[in-house]
Amino acid sequence: MLSAPSSRLVLAIGLAVLAALVGLLLNGDMQVALVMLVGAIAAVLVVAIGGDPAPPPRTDATAADREPGFGEVIEAIAEPVLVIAATRVGAANAAARALLGEHILGEDVRLAIRHPAAAERLLDPGEQLSAAPIHLVGLGTREQRWEMRVRTLATGERVVHLIDRTGNYTADRMRVDFVANASHELRTPLASLLGYVETLADGAGEEPEIRARFLKIMHDEARRMDRLISDLISLSRIEAEKYRAPAESVQLAELIQQVCSELSGSPRAADLLTEIEGVPPVRGDRTQLSQLLHNLIGNAMKYGRAGTPVTVSLRSEGDTMVRFAVTDQGEGIPPEHIPRLTERFYRVDSGRSRSLGGTGLGLAIVKHVVERHRGRFDIASTVGVGTTVTVRLPIEPSVIKS
Ligand code: ADP
Protein backbone atom coordinates (compact mmCIF):
# COMPACT_ATOMS: atom_id res chain seq x y z
CA MET A 1 0.00 0.00 0.00
CA LEU A 2 1.29 3.45 -0.88
CA SER A 3 0.98 6.20 1.64
CA ALA A 4 -1.12 9.25 0.72
CA PRO A 5 1.87 11.54 -0.17
CA SER A 6 3.56 8.80 -2.36
CA SER A 7 0.37 8.09 -4.31
CA ARG A 8 -0.02 11.82 -4.92
CA LEU A 9 3.57 11.86 -6.28
CA VAL A 10 2.87 8.93 -8.72
CA LEU A 11 -0.31 10.69 -9.88
CA ALA A 12 1.61 13.95 -10.45
CA ILE A 13 4.35 12.17 -12.50
CA GLY A 14 1.59 10.34 -14.50
CA LEU A 15 -0.06 13.72 -15.27
CA ALA A 16 3.36 15.12 -16.38
CA VAL A 17 3.84 12.13 -18.77
CA LEU A 18 0.26 12.61 -20.10
CA ALA A 19 0.90 16.35 -20.67
CA ALA A 20 4.12 15.51 -22.61
CA LEU A 21 2.22 12.98 -24.79
CA VAL A 22 -0.52 15.54 -25.52
CA GLY A 23 2.24 18.05 -26.46
CA LEU A 24 3.78 15.44 -28.81
CA LEU A 25 0.43 14.70 -30.43
CA LEU A 26 -0.44 18.39 -30.87
CA ASN A 27 2.79 19.62 -32.46
CA GLY A 28 4.51 16.27 -33.39
CA ASP A 29 7.90 17.51 -32.11
CA MET A 30 9.62 14.77 -30.02
CA GLN A 31 12.30 17.19 -28.61
CA VAL A 32 9.71 19.69 -27.34
CA ALA A 33 7.72 16.82 -25.77
CA LEU A 34 10.86 15.51 -23.99
CA VAL A 35 11.70 18.99 -22.64
CA MET A 36 8.12 19.37 -21.34
CA LEU A 37 8.29 15.93 -19.71
CA VAL A 38 11.62 16.58 -17.92
CA GLY A 39 10.48 20.05 -16.79
CA ALA A 40 7.18 18.75 -15.43
CA ILE A 41 8.79 15.83 -13.57
CA ALA A 42 11.41 18.19 -12.09
CA ALA A 43 8.66 20.55 -10.89
CA VAL A 44 6.77 17.64 -9.31
CA LEU A 45 9.92 16.45 -7.51
CA VAL A 46 10.76 19.93 -6.19
CA VAL A 47 7.28 20.23 -4.72
CA ALA A 48 7.38 16.67 -3.32
CA ILE A 49 10.86 16.98 -1.70
CA GLY A 50 9.83 20.31 -0.15
CA GLY A 51 7.33 18.28 1.91
CA ASP A 52 3.92 19.20 3.22
CA PRO A 53 3.56 22.65 4.72
CA ALA A 54 3.59 22.72 8.55
CA PRO A 55 0.12 22.30 10.06
CA PRO A 56 -1.36 25.54 11.41
CA PRO A 57 -0.76 26.04 15.16
CA ARG A 58 -3.46 24.67 17.46
CA THR A 59 -5.25 27.52 18.99
CA ASP A 60 -7.11 25.32 21.49
CA ALA A 61 -3.89 23.85 23.08
CA THR A 62 -3.39 24.54 26.77
CA ALA A 63 -0.12 24.40 28.69
CA ALA A 64 -1.41 21.38 30.57
CA ASP A 65 -2.08 19.25 27.48
CA ARG A 66 0.59 20.56 25.07
CA GLU A 67 3.54 19.57 27.32
CA PRO A 68 3.30 15.98 28.54
CA GLY A 69 5.46 16.74 31.65
CA PHE A 70 3.59 19.91 32.64
CA GLY A 71 1.13 18.18 34.99
CA GLU A 72 4.02 16.30 36.63
CA VAL A 73 5.98 19.53 37.08
CA ILE A 74 3.20 21.38 38.87
CA GLU A 75 2.43 18.26 40.91
CA ALA A 76 6.06 18.23 42.14
CA ILE A 77 5.72 21.76 43.60
CA ALA A 78 4.97 21.66 47.33
CA GLU A 79 3.05 24.95 47.33
CA PRO A 80 -0.38 25.34 45.74
CA VAL A 81 -0.24 26.01 41.97
CA LEU A 82 -3.24 26.44 39.65
CA VAL A 83 -3.48 27.05 35.91
CA ILE A 84 -6.40 29.25 34.91
CA ALA A 85 -7.68 29.03 31.33
CA ALA A 86 -10.00 31.99 30.63
CA THR A 87 -11.90 32.02 33.94
CA ARG A 88 -11.77 28.28 34.73
CA VAL A 89 -9.29 26.16 36.63
CA GLY A 90 -7.54 24.06 33.94
CA ALA A 91 -5.06 22.34 36.27
CA ALA A 92 -4.29 22.31 40.00
CA ASN A 93 -1.58 20.45 41.88
CA ALA A 94 -2.19 18.34 45.01
CA ALA A 95 -1.31 21.22 47.37
CA ALA A 96 -3.87 23.47 45.64
CA ARG A 97 -6.52 20.75 45.79
CA ALA A 98 -5.76 20.12 49.47
CA LEU A 99 -6.14 23.85 50.23
CA LEU A 100 -9.12 24.66 48.02
CA GLY A 101 -10.86 21.29 47.57
CA GLU A 102 -10.80 18.49 44.98
CA HIS A 103 -13.79 20.04 43.19
CA ILE A 104 -11.86 23.04 41.84
CA LEU A 105 -10.79 21.42 38.55
CA GLY A 106 -12.87 22.96 35.78
CA GLU A 107 -14.58 25.31 38.22
CA ASP A 108 -14.93 29.07 37.79
CA VAL A 109 -11.94 30.70 39.47
CA ARG A 110 -14.21 32.84 41.67
CA LEU A 111 -15.66 29.68 43.20
CA ALA A 112 -12.31 27.88 43.38
CA ILE A 113 -10.48 30.68 45.22
CA ARG A 114 -13.21 32.19 47.32
CA HIS A 115 -11.45 35.42 48.07
CA PRO A 116 -12.55 38.81 46.75
CA ALA A 117 -9.01 40.17 46.23
CA ALA A 118 -7.93 37.02 44.35
CA ALA A 119 -11.03 37.05 42.13
CA GLU A 120 -10.55 40.74 41.38
CA ARG A 121 -6.94 40.18 40.30
CA LEU A 122 -7.69 37.09 38.21
CA LEU A 123 -10.63 38.60 36.37
CA ASP A 124 -8.98 41.96 35.75
CA PRO A 125 -8.01 42.25 32.07
CA GLY A 126 -5.18 44.65 32.98
CA GLU A 127 -3.76 42.05 35.37
CA GLN A 128 -1.11 40.90 32.86
CA LEU A 129 0.68 44.19 33.41
CA SER A 130 0.82 43.85 37.16
CA ALA A 131 3.33 41.35 38.55
CA ALA A 132 2.99 42.58 42.15
CA PRO A 133 1.91 39.82 44.56
CA ILE A 134 -1.25 40.23 46.57
CA HIS A 135 -1.83 39.08 50.13
CA LEU A 136 -4.75 36.89 51.07
CA VAL A 137 -6.06 36.39 54.58
CA GLY A 138 -8.70 33.81 55.42
CA LEU A 139 -7.87 31.22 52.74
CA GLY A 140 -7.55 27.79 54.40
CA THR A 141 -7.57 28.39 58.14
CA ARG A 142 -8.31 31.78 59.66
CA GLU A 143 -4.70 32.30 60.79
CA GLN A 144 -3.12 31.50 57.42
CA ARG A 145 -1.63 34.29 55.32
CA TRP A 146 -0.96 33.63 51.64
CA GLU A 147 0.91 35.55 49.01
CA MET A 148 -0.62 35.10 45.54
CA ARG A 149 1.55 35.52 42.44
CA VAL A 150 0.12 35.39 38.91
CA ARG A 151 2.06 34.91 35.67
CA THR A 152 0.55 34.86 32.17
CA LEU A 153 1.81 32.14 29.80
CA ALA A 154 2.23 32.44 26.01
CA THR A 155 -1.04 30.44 25.68
CA GLY A 156 -2.88 33.21 27.52
CA GLU A 157 -3.47 31.00 30.58
CA ARG A 158 -2.48 32.25 34.00
CA VAL A 159 -0.38 30.33 36.51
CA VAL A 160 -1.41 31.14 40.06
CA HIS A 161 1.18 30.39 42.75
CA LEU A 162 0.18 30.59 46.41
CA ILE A 163 3.01 30.98 48.94
CA ASP A 164 2.35 30.39 52.64
CA ARG A 165 3.58 33.47 54.54
CA THR A 166 1.97 32.56 57.89
CA GLY A 167 5.38 31.95 59.52
CA ASN A 168 6.77 35.35 58.46
CA TYR A 169 3.62 37.08 59.61
CA THR A 170 3.74 35.36 63.01
CA ALA A 171 7.45 36.22 63.43
CA ASP A 172 6.76 39.87 62.49
CA ARG A 173 3.83 40.05 64.87
CA MET A 174 5.95 38.55 67.69
CA ARG A 175 8.74 41.06 67.07
CA VAL A 176 6.31 43.96 67.18
CA ASP A 177 4.63 42.62 70.33
CA PHE A 178 8.00 42.02 71.98
CA VAL A 179 9.23 45.58 71.41
CA ALA A 180 5.90 46.98 72.65
CA ASN A 181 5.93 44.73 75.75
CA ALA A 182 9.59 45.42 76.58
CA SER A 183 9.01 49.18 76.32
CA HIS A 184 5.98 48.93 78.55
CA GLU A 185 7.84 46.80 81.12
CA LEU A 186 10.70 49.31 81.25
CA ARG A 187 8.48 52.35 81.34
CA THR A 188 6.51 51.18 84.40
CA PRO A 189 9.42 51.26 86.90
CA LEU A 190 10.82 54.35 85.20
CA ALA A 191 7.53 56.23 85.64
CA SER A 192 7.51 55.21 89.29
CA LEU A 193 11.10 56.40 89.78
CA LEU A 194 10.37 59.76 88.14
CA GLY A 195 7.30 60.21 90.33
CA TYR A 196 9.25 59.63 93.56
CA VAL A 197 12.13 61.88 92.44
CA GLU A 198 9.62 64.71 91.85
CA THR A 199 7.89 64.09 95.17
CA LEU A 200 11.20 64.17 97.03
CA ALA A 201 12.22 67.32 95.14
CA ASP A 202 8.94 68.94 96.25
CA GLY A 203 10.03 68.63 99.84
CA ALA A 204 8.53 65.28 100.85
CA GLY A 205 12.01 64.08 101.76
CA GLU A 206 12.25 66.29 104.82
CA GLU A 207 10.67 63.64 107.02
CA PRO A 208 13.41 60.99 107.51
CA GLU A 209 10.91 58.09 107.62
CA ILE A 210 9.10 59.09 104.42
CA ARG A 211 12.41 59.77 102.75
CA ALA A 212 13.73 56.29 103.69
CA ARG A 213 10.54 54.62 102.49
CA PHE A 214 10.62 56.49 99.16
CA LEU A 215 14.31 55.71 98.67
CA LYS A 216 13.62 52.02 99.30
CA ILE A 217 10.85 52.00 96.67
CA MET A 218 13.13 53.84 94.22
CA HIS A 219 15.89 51.35 94.88
CA ASP A 220 13.51 48.40 94.23
CA GLU A 221 12.23 49.96 91.00
CA ALA A 222 15.79 50.61 89.78
CA ARG A 223 16.70 47.00 90.63
CA ARG A 224 13.67 45.81 88.71
CA MET A 225 14.78 47.78 85.64
CA ASP A 226 18.25 46.35 86.04
CA ARG A 227 16.92 42.75 86.19
CA LEU A 228 14.77 43.36 83.16
CA ILE A 229 17.66 44.77 81.14
CA SER A 230 19.92 41.87 82.19
CA ASP A 231 17.27 39.35 81.12
CA LEU A 232 16.74 41.14 77.80
CA ILE A 233 20.49 41.09 77.14
CA SER A 234 20.71 37.38 78.10
CA LEU A 235 17.84 36.52 75.83
CA SER A 236 19.34 38.28 72.84
CA ARG A 237 22.77 36.68 73.50
CA ILE A 238 21.25 33.20 73.73
CA GLU A 239 19.28 33.81 70.55
CA ALA A 240 22.38 35.04 68.73
CA GLU A 241 24.18 31.80 69.67
CA LYS A 242 21.23 29.59 68.84
CA TYR A 243 22.97 27.70 66.02
CA ARG A 244 26.38 27.43 67.71
CA ALA A 245 26.58 24.14 69.62
CA PRO A 246 27.90 24.61 73.18
CA ALA A 247 31.45 23.32 73.59
CA GLU A 248 32.23 23.01 77.36
CA SER A 249 32.05 19.84 79.42
CA VAL A 250 29.83 20.76 82.38
CA GLN A 251 29.42 18.79 85.62
CA LEU A 252 25.80 19.58 86.47
CA ALA A 253 26.03 18.27 90.06
CA GLU A 254 28.77 20.81 90.81
CA LEU A 255 26.89 23.61 89.08
CA ILE A 256 23.70 22.87 91.06
CA GLN A 257 25.64 23.04 94.35
CA GLN A 258 27.14 26.34 93.28
CA VAL A 259 23.74 27.84 92.34
CA CYS A 260 22.20 26.59 95.63
CA SER A 261 24.96 28.28 97.61
CA GLU A 262 24.43 31.51 95.61
CA LEU A 263 20.76 31.34 96.63
CA SER A 264 21.60 30.67 100.28
CA GLY A 265 20.94 34.30 101.17
CA SER A 266 17.34 34.21 99.86
CA PRO A 267 14.47 34.04 102.40
CA ARG A 268 13.49 30.50 101.35
CA ALA A 269 17.00 29.00 101.33
CA ALA A 270 16.11 26.72 104.27
CA ASP A 271 13.43 24.98 102.17
CA LEU A 272 15.87 23.89 99.51
CA LEU A 273 16.47 20.09 99.33
CA THR A 274 18.80 18.40 96.89
CA GLU A 275 18.71 14.79 95.66
CA ILE A 276 21.76 14.58 93.49
CA GLU A 277 23.21 11.42 91.98
CA GLY A 278 26.58 11.24 90.25
CA VAL A 279 25.95 11.77 86.55
CA PRO A 280 28.24 12.05 83.52
CA PRO A 281 29.05 15.57 82.32
CA VAL A 282 26.92 17.28 79.69
CA ARG A 283 28.20 19.19 76.67
CA GLY A 284 27.07 22.69 77.57
CA ASP A 285 27.53 26.39 78.09
CA ARG A 286 28.29 26.86 81.79
CA THR A 287 27.00 30.42 82.06
CA GLN A 288 23.74 29.62 80.29
CA LEU A 289 23.16 26.43 82.31
CA SER A 290 23.81 28.38 85.52
CA GLN A 291 21.18 30.91 84.44
CA LEU A 292 18.73 28.07 83.66
CA LEU A 293 19.22 26.63 87.17
CA HIS A 294 18.84 30.07 88.78
CA ASN A 295 15.60 30.73 86.91
CA LEU A 296 14.00 27.35 87.65
CA ILE A 297 15.07 27.07 91.30
CA GLY A 298 14.25 30.77 91.76
CA ASN A 299 10.71 30.24 90.36
CA ALA A 300 10.09 27.25 92.66
CA MET A 301 11.17 29.41 95.63
CA LYS A 302 9.02 32.35 94.48
CA TYR A 303 5.86 30.43 93.64
CA GLY A 304 6.15 27.54 96.15
CA ARG A 305 4.41 27.95 99.53
CA ALA A 306 6.70 29.26 102.27
CA GLY A 307 7.83 26.49 104.60
CA THR A 308 7.25 23.69 102.08
CA PRO A 309 10.24 21.98 100.42
CA VAL A 310 11.71 22.91 97.06
CA THR A 311 13.35 19.72 95.80
CA VAL A 312 16.14 19.81 93.25
CA SER A 313 17.04 16.42 91.79
CA LEU A 314 19.60 15.17 89.30
CA ARG A 315 20.00 11.67 87.85
CA SER A 316 20.87 9.82 84.67
CA GLU A 317 18.14 8.79 82.29
CA GLY A 318 19.05 5.93 79.99
CA ASP A 319 22.54 5.92 78.55
CA THR A 320 22.39 9.24 76.80
CA MET A 321 20.56 11.81 78.96
CA VAL A 322 20.65 13.41 82.37
CA ARG A 323 17.46 14.57 84.02
CA PHE A 324 17.28 17.65 86.21
CA ALA A 325 14.00 18.48 88.00
CA VAL A 326 12.72 21.10 90.45
CA THR A 327 9.55 20.39 92.42
CA ASP A 328 7.68 22.88 94.56
CA GLN A 329 4.51 22.69 96.62
CA GLY A 330 2.94 25.91 95.49
CA GLU A 331 -0.45 26.84 94.07
CA GLY A 332 0.32 25.14 90.77
CA ILE A 333 -0.50 26.37 87.28
CA PRO A 334 -3.90 25.93 85.57
CA PRO A 335 -3.38 23.69 82.49
CA GLU A 336 -4.52 26.29 79.93
CA HIS A 337 -1.55 28.52 80.83
CA ILE A 338 1.17 25.86 80.59
CA PRO A 339 1.71 25.95 76.79
CA ARG A 340 2.21 29.74 76.88
CA LEU A 341 4.57 30.06 79.86
CA THR A 342 7.71 30.16 77.69
CA GLU A 343 6.40 33.17 75.70
CA ARG A 344 8.23 36.36 76.61
CA PHE A 345 6.40 38.35 79.30
CA TYR A 346 3.63 35.75 79.65
CA ARG A 347 2.58 35.43 83.28
CA VAL A 348 -0.30 33.66 84.97
CA ASP A 349 -0.69 36.50 87.46
CA SER A 350 1.22 39.66 86.45
CA GLY A 351 0.71 41.43 89.79
CA ARG A 352 2.06 38.45 91.72
CA SER A 353 5.03 37.98 89.37
CA ARG A 354 5.98 41.68 89.64
CA SER A 355 5.59 41.80 93.40
CA LEU A 356 7.94 38.79 93.62
CA GLY A 357 10.50 40.52 91.41
CA GLY A 358 9.70 38.53 88.22
CA THR A 359 10.54 39.87 84.79
CA GLY A 360 8.33 37.45 82.84
CA LEU A 361 11.38 36.36 80.84
CA GLY A 362 12.74 33.53 83.02
CA LEU A 363 11.06 30.59 81.27
CA ALA A 364 11.64 32.11 77.80
CA ILE A 365 15.36 32.10 78.63
CA VAL A 366 15.14 28.51 79.93
CA LYS A 367 13.43 27.38 76.72
CA HIS A 368 16.14 28.96 74.51
CA VAL A 369 18.96 27.50 76.62
CA VAL A 370 17.40 24.01 76.44
CA GLU A 371 16.93 24.30 72.67
CA ARG A 372 20.55 25.33 72.17
CA HIS A 373 21.64 22.30 74.22
CA ARG A 374 19.39 19.96 72.16
CA GLY A 375 17.55 19.06 75.36
CA ARG A 376 13.90 18.74 76.39
CA PHE A 377 11.84 20.85 78.76
CA ASP A 378 8.56 19.89 80.48
CA ILE A 379 6.27 21.54 83.01
CA ALA A 380 3.87 19.35 84.98
CA SER A 381 1.60 21.06 87.45
CA THR A 382 -1.47 20.34 89.56
CA VAL A 383 -3.44 23.27 90.91
CA GLY A 384 -3.32 23.27 94.70
CA VAL A 385 -0.54 20.65 94.80
CA GLY A 386 2.50 22.10 93.08
CA THR A 387 4.72 22.15 90.04
CA THR A 388 7.59 20.04 88.68
CA VAL A 389 9.77 21.45 85.95
CA THR A 390 12.04 18.92 84.21
CA VAL A 391 14.99 19.47 81.91
CA ARG A 392 16.68 16.60 80.06
CA LEU A 393 20.09 17.24 78.54
CA PRO A 394 22.27 14.99 76.38
CA ILE A 395 25.39 13.53 77.98
CA GLU A 396 28.78 14.67 76.66
CA PRO A 397 29.22 12.47 73.53
CA SER A 398 32.80 11.44 74.40
CA VAL A 399 31.67 9.68 77.64
CA ILE A 400 28.70 7.76 76.19
CA LYS A 401 29.40 4.02 76.46
CA SER A 402 29.23 2.44 73.02
P1 ADP B 1 8.47 35.46 86.08
O1 ADP B 1 9.62 36.37 86.09
O2 ADP B 1 7.16 36.16 86.04
O3 ADP B 1 8.55 34.43 87.17
P2 ADP B 1 8.87 33.29 84.23
O4 ADP B 1 9.05 33.34 82.75
O5 ADP B 1 9.94 32.68 85.03
O6 ADP B 1 8.54 34.75 84.66
O7 ADP B 1 7.54 32.50 84.51
C1 ADP B 1 6.37 32.84 83.80
C2 ADP B 1 5.14 32.61 84.66
O8 ADP B 1 5.00 31.21 84.89
C3 ADP B 1 5.22 33.22 86.03
O9 ADP B 1 4.82 34.56 86.01
C4 ADP B 1 4.27 32.35 86.82
O10 ADP B 1 2.95 32.80 86.60
C5 ADP B 1 4.42 30.99 86.17
N1 ADP B 1 5.32 30.08 86.91
C6 ADP B 1 6.61 29.80 86.62
N2 ADP B 1 7.12 28.90 87.48
C7 ADP B 1 6.10 28.59 88.33
C8 ADP B 1 5.98 27.71 89.46
N3 ADP B 1 7.01 26.97 89.87
N4 ADP B 1 4.78 27.65 90.06
C9 ADP B 1 3.74 28.39 89.65
N5 ADP B 1 3.81 29.24 88.61
C10 ADP B 1 4.96 29.33 87.95
Side-chain angles (χ1 to χ4, degrees):
M1 279 278 284
L2 287 172
S3 65
S6 338
S7 58
R8 272 205 306 276
L9 179 64
V10 170
L11 182 66
I13 293 173
L15 283 171
V17 171
L18 189 65
L21 281 175
V22 171
L24 178 68
L25 286 175
L26 285 178
N27 67 14
D29 188 336
M30 188 63 174
Q31 276 185 334
V32 172
L34 274 176
V35 170
M36 280 176 70
L37 180 62
V38 170
I41 290 176
V44 167
L45 289 175
V46 166
V47 171
I49 291 166
D52 290 340
R58 281 178 60 193
T59 50
D60 60 339
T62 64
D65 63 16
R66 194 174 42 232
E67 297 291 340
F70 186 85
E72 243 180 286
V73 170
I74 65 165
E75 211 55 50
I77 301 171
E79 287 163 329
V81 175
L82 299 98
V83 181
I84 311 292
T87 59
R88 305 217 160 253
V89 178
N93 69 358
R97 298 193 307 273
L99 176 69
L100 305 167
E102 289 293 335
H103 55 83
I104 58 169
L105 283 171
E107 214 172 51
D108 187 289
V109 66
R110 278 166 296 191
L111 294 174
I113 309 178
R114 288 171 185 270
H115 196 287
E120 194 185 322
R121 163 63 66 87
L122 289 165
L123 299 177
D124 176 7
E127 173 275 320
Q128 276 132 310
L129 303 172
S130 159
I134 60 168
H135 299 276
L136 309 178
V137 184
L139 209 59
T141 64
R142 220 155 32 98
E143 295 73 36
Q144 275 178 311
R145 314 269 153 164
W146 296 93
E147 180 182 312
M148 186 180 93
R149 289 178 175 268
V150 185
R151 286 284 179 283
T152 305
L153 303 180
T155 56
E157 294 155 285
R158 263 124 358 123
V159 175
V160 178
H161 183 192
L162 294 166
I163 305 153
D164 191 350
R165 298 286 188 214
T166 316
N168 296 15
Y169 176 83
T170 312
D172 276 353
R173 188 76 253 148
M174 278 170 73
R175 251 193 306 277
V176 170
D177 287 352
F178 175 61
V179 172
N181 285 338
S183 315
H184 174 76
E185 294 284 338
L186 282 167
R187 184 174 253 176
T188 313
L190 188 61
S192 166
L193 270 171
L194 287 172
Y196 282 105
V197 168
E198 277 166 23
T199 317
L200 283 176
D202 285 348
E206 300 216 333
E207 281 267 347
E209 259 175 50
I210 294 177
R211 190 180 134 95
R213 192 158 55 85
F214 283 9
L215 284 174
K216 160 96 176 58
I217 296 171
M218 288 166 71
H219 181 253
D220 289 349
E221 294 296 332
R223 293 258 310 141
R224 186 169 140 198
M225 284 183 80
D226 186 47
R227 272 196 306 276
L228 192 56
I229 290 166
S230 302
D231 275 359
L232 286 169
I233 292 171
S234 299
L235 202 54
S236 80
R237 272 206 198 118
I238 297 163
E239 277 200 291
E241 291 181 330
K242 197 169 171 175
Y243 299 108
R244 188 147 28 96
E248 293 167 84
S249 174
V250 180
Q251 292 286 356
L252 270 184
E254 222 176 75
L255 197 58
I256 292 172
Q257 299 294 8
Q258 186 186 319
V259 170
C260 289
S261 77
E262 282 163 9
L263 291 169
S264 62
S266 78
R268 293 209 49 206
D271 299 329
L272 208 51
L273 296 179
T274 51
E275 293 172 0
I276 294 177
E277 293 177 9
V279 296
V282 297
R283 172 68 60 88
D285 179 313
R286 210 182 151 80
T287 314
Q288 287 181 4
L289 289 176
S290 165
Q291 187 159 18
L292 173 145
L293 296 174
H294 265 285
N295 291 358
L296 294 182
I297 301 172
N299 275 356
M301 288 172 138
K302 272 191 316 202
Y303 300 110
R305 248 187 309 278
T308 59
V310 166
T311 312
V312 178
S313 69
L314 180 72
R315 59 176 161 84
S316 297
E317 195 169 78
D319 293 332
T320 55
M321 303 291 266
V322 295
R323 177 188 183 277
F324 159 77
V326 188
T327 302
D328 65 64
Q329 295 178 12
E331 280 170 23
I333 307 162
E336 65 274 19
H337 293 286
I338 292 181
R340 300 199 57 191
L341 292 180
T342 54
E343 286 174 25
R344 295 151 191 204
F345 300 118
Y346 189 89
R347 295 143 158 140
V348 177
D349 178 343
S350 302
R352 178 145 189 247
S353 156
R354 287 204 181 90
S355 68
L356 294 166
T359 60
L361 293 173
L363 292 182
I365 291 174
V366 169
K367 177 188 149 202
H368 280 88
V369 171
V370 172
E371 276 175 4
R372 186 179 169 220
H373 286 74
R374 308 271 178 274
R376 291 208 311 271
F377 174 50
D378 294 297
I379 302 175
S381 189
T382 308
V383 175
V385 176
T387 303
T388 296
V389 181
T390 311
V391 172
R392 293 176 174 84
L393 295 173
I395 289 171
E396 165 90 49
S398 63
V399 298
I400 294 179
K401 289 175 231 120
S402 50

